[in-house]
Amino acid sequence: MHDLPELQTLIADIRSARQRYNISSQKLAKACGISPSAMSKLERNRLKPSYDLVCKVVKKLNELISSNTNYIRVKDKMVRDVKVLSPVAQVSEAIRIMKEKGFSQMPVVDRDGRVLGLVTERSILEHPNAVACIDAVEMGYAVVGPEESFERAKQLARNAQAILVVQEGRLAGILTKADFL
């Protein structure tokens, strides 16, 4: 019924997270300022919502989850000691480290720790003539803050190899799919 598959995924995640954290549909509807009937229709794919409405529901759900004592933050699960690459590091060095450590991606950061992109197995294959890592970076990467809910990061992990944890513009940690198992 929805035009974007991402909306269907988000809506399924809303119901799943709501149930996991024992938040009633009525409580979430009230927090969002919509009727319980509309919330029910949304969760059963009988309402064609706007992207803004779904984002609002996700935001309010995350707020309700964070008020729960069982709330887990990204900073509680992230890997803090992240192996990074400089933009001028050679791609051959990135390949060596990735093979040696079993990584499928590595962040590229500048001297100040600001993220410039990710070197991934795919980006290396797509840029076979790249010499420096900056020439083989993938710019489409997921980012969360350390205080964000682990549940939200888990939602992002469905469509990302890695999720970079960024605080004040600098790399603070990383989450990979293995961190959600």
Side-chain angles (χ1 to χ4, degrees), residues 99-165:
K99 283 182 177 180
E100 182 179 291
K101 302 285 186 182
F103 297 159
S104 59
Q105 68 278 318
M106 290 181 69
V108 177
V109 298
D110 67 13
R111 279 187 250 161
D112 296 323
R114 287 187 175 78
V115 180
L116 303 175
L118 274 178
V119 169
T120 66
E121 293 167 336
R122 180 178 59 211
S123 71
I124 292 170
L125 292 172
E126 289 175 353
H127 300 91
N129 298 323
V131 176
C133 286
I134 194 65
D135 298 325
V137 295
E138 201 171 282
M139 300 305 291
Y141 51 89
V143 175
V144 294
E147 296 297 326
E148 193 140 357
S149 79
F150 189 67
E151 190 64 36
R152 174 66 180 131
K154 188 175 185 178
Q155 293 169 356
L156 291 172
R158 291 182 174 185
N159 298 316
Q161 287 188 22
I163 301 168
L164 302 181
V165 184

Side-chain angles (χ1 to χ4, degrees), residues 9-168:
T9 301
L10 281 173
I11 291 167
D13 290 344
I14 288 168
R15 184 175 187 162
S16 169
R18 185 182 61 69
Q19 291 173 339
R20 185 177 309 115
Y21 289 97
N22 200 25
I23 297 169
S24 72
S25 181
Q26 286 185 328
K27 184 175 183 177
L28 181 56
K30 184 177 180 181
C32 295
I34 63 174
S35 72
S37 172
M39 181 61 67
S40 177
K41 288 177 183 174
L42 173 75
E43 287 187 352
R44 290 183 292 140
N45 285 326
R46 298 198 178 183
L47 174 72
K48 189 171 183 176
S50 68
Y51 182 75
D52 289 339
L53 174 62
V54 174
C55 288
K56 180 180 180 179
V57 172
V58 169
K59 180 181 178 190
K60 291 297 182 181
L61 178 59
N62 283 333
E63 288 172 8
L64 290 171
I65 291 170
S66 68
S67 66
N68 184 334
T69 57
N70 296 328
Y71 178 70
I72 300 171
R73 289 179 181 80
V74 166
K75 71 180 182 180
D76 300 328
K77 298 284 188 171
M78 71 183 187
V79 174
R80 295 172 190 273
D81 186 23
V82 182
K83 182 72 175 164
V84 299
L85 298 164
S86 89
V88 295
Q90 292 193 358
V91 171
S92 59
E93 177 69 2
I95 292 169
R96 183 189 65 73
I97 294 169
M98 289 168 69
K99 283 182 177 180
E100 182 179 291
K101 302 285 186 182
F103 297 159
S104 59
Q105 68 278 318
M106 290 181 69
V108 177
V109 298
D110 67 13
R111 279 187 250 161
D112 296 323
R114 287 187 175 78
V115 180
L116 303 175
L118 274 178
V119 169
T120 66
E121 293 167 336
R122 180 178 59 211
S123 71
I124 292 170
L125 292 172
E126 289 175 353
H127 300 91
N129 298 323
V131 176
C133 286
I134 194 65
D135 298 325
V137 295
E138 201 171 282
M139 300 305 291
Y141 51 89
V143 175
V144 294
E147 296 297 326
E148 193 140 357
S149 79
F150 189 67
E151 190 64 36
R152 174 66 180 131
K154 188 175 185 178
Q155 293 169 356
L156 291 172
R158 291 182 174 185
N159 298 316
Q161 287 188 22
I163 301 168
L164 302 181
V165 184
V166 176
Q167 185 172 24
E168 297 177 11

